[in-house]
Amino acid sequence: MPISGGRAVSAGPSIAFRRNAVFAAFNTAVPVSDRHGLAGRKKELARLIDAVVKQRKHALIYGARGSGKTSLARVFGDLADEAGCVALYGSASEGAGVDGLFRPFLDELPLQRGIAATIPADRPMSVQQVANLFVQGVNQRTLLIVDEFDRVAAERTRHEVATLLKLLTDMHSMVQIVLVGIAGNVDGLLAAHPSLRRHLFAQPVSPIERDELAGLLRLCAQQAGLSFEEEAVQTIVSAAIGSPYHARLFGMHAALAAEGAGRDRVTLADAQRDLPRRSPSGAI
């Protein structure tokens, strides 16, 4: 029977079950969808609720890769749902125009009866047509969350999206748009329509404080039935450089090392394993 920290670890669940518990708890493959698993973002959530739900502005969530933009957007969408809005999610594809960005939402959009028949199926919708559809066809507060907006490289498309946001505001549409991308999107949108500053709330996603990242690691470990030595926690937090994605990634590899050795406590040696190769500044 394996020994951990002076006590035995019962054979209990199978190895596969324990490893699956680690993968589930430190999951890096999908964004966080539970607000309790979203570390260090209470202020950002409160600002988004105030600006989008209460003030009815459009929004842009931006930050570095791995900063947790998508997780923040999804938890915000859940809170907006609870506040009476319909929050729908989509992802931008490279080369998409305005029609390609927003047509995928139509199957879930709460359209008034008969409106769907007016949507052209054989040709892309123009900016004005999309705006008219959202204004005339939707009578329920709806948030369209477009993730990975940084994939939209065409200046024309960025200009058209800015025009759409302006039209929706001017036409008092029930539809608001939340774009999720990298920092450069802010200047690009505002350059197209400087007046958007009054109608677009920009929320940066900054690195998370050390204490919040440490709490995230401990929560993941608890969910996996493990615990971390404090030195292991601090080593991973330092290596993650404020990124919740990297904290989960490094924590998962350390937890798998401990689990593979038959221990339920992650040591400093587990945390240091492969860290130079897996640091955010290097190739992952």
Side-chain angles (χ1 to χ4, degrees):
M1 181 177 295
I3 303 297
S4 173
R7 57 190 177 87
V9 179
S10 61
S14 67
I15 292 176
F17 180 88
R18 294 198 304 267
R19 289 180 69 83
N20 286 342
V22 171
F23 285 127
F26 290 88
N27 195 345
T28 60
V30 297
V32 172
S33 57
D34 178 358
R35 74 194 67 174
H36 301 294
L38 187 67
R41 299 299 184 202
K42 291 181 180 179
K43 291 181 179 179
E44 288 88 342
L45 283 172
R47 291 170 185 150
L48 283 166
I49 290 293
D50 182 67
V52 180
V53 177
K54 295 181 181 178
Q55 299 183 42
R56 297 179 175 247
K57 293 183 177 183
H58 304 293
L60 174 65
I61 298 172
Y62 67 95
R65 299 192 186 281
S67 59
K69 301 182 298 296
T70 298
S71 295
L72 176 63
R74 286 192 171 274
V75 173
F76 163 68
D78 288 344
L79 294 176
D81 270 330
E82 293 178 5
C85 300
V86 175
L88 302 177
Y89 304 89
S91 184
S93 58
E94 190 173 352
V98 167
D99 181 88
L101 287 173
F102 296 102
R103 187 179 288 269
F105 288 106
L106 300 186
D107 289 339
E108 298 181 81
L109 203 63
L111 295 173
Q112 297 185 53
R113 182 174 299 179
I115 291 293
T118 68
I119 301 172
D122 57 345
R123 64 184 186 281
M125 290 184 290
S126 67
V127 175
Q128 188 66 58
Q129 285 176 311
V130 174
N132 290 341
L133 173 66
F134 289 167
V135 171
Q136 299 169 10
V138 181
N139 58 8
Q140 183 176 356
R141 286 285 303 282
T142 303
L143 307 182
L144 304 183
I145 301 174
V146 182
D147 200 1
E148 301 191 63
F149 185 65
D150 43 287
R151 288 183 175 179
V152 178
E155 184 176 346
R156 176 179 176 179
T157 301
R158 291 174 182 268
H159 181 91
E160 289 179 342
V161 170
T163 300
L164 177 62
L165 268 58
K166 184 69 166 57
L167 285 172
L168 293 178
T169 299
D170 292 345
M171 298 165 73
H172 303 286
S173 174
M174 298 292 282
V175 175
Q176 294 163 257
I177 296 173
V178 177
L179 305 172
V180 185
I182 59 176
N185 296 145
V186 179
D187 293 336
L189 285 174
L190 295 178
H193 280 284
S195 61
L196 269 179
R197 289 186 184 277
R198 300 194 305 270
H199 312 296
L200 177 70
F201 174 71
Q203 176 59 63
V205 182
S206 305
I208 293 180
E209 296 292 333
R210 290 183 63 93
D211 289 348
E212 296 284 357
L213 277 187
L216 173 63
L217 280 173
R218 296 187 187 103
L219 175 62
C220 291
Q222 182 181 15
Q223 292 172 344
L226 302 170
S227 63
F228 275 82
E229 289 183 352
E230 186 59 27
E231 285 186 324
V233 169
Q234 296 306 323
T235 295
I236 292 174
V237 166
S238 295
I241 317 179
S243 166
Y245 167 79
H246 288 98
R248 285 178 177 272
L249 179 66
F250 301 158
M252 179 182 71
H253 284 282
L256 288 173
E259 186 279 329
R263 290 180 276 103
D264 61 4
R265 187 164 178 80
V266 180
T267 66
L268 175 60
D270 297 325
Q272 291 174 330
R273 183 175 178 176
D274 291 338
L275 264 188
R277 184 171 64 84
R278 299 183 181 278
S279 66
S281 58
I284 296 177

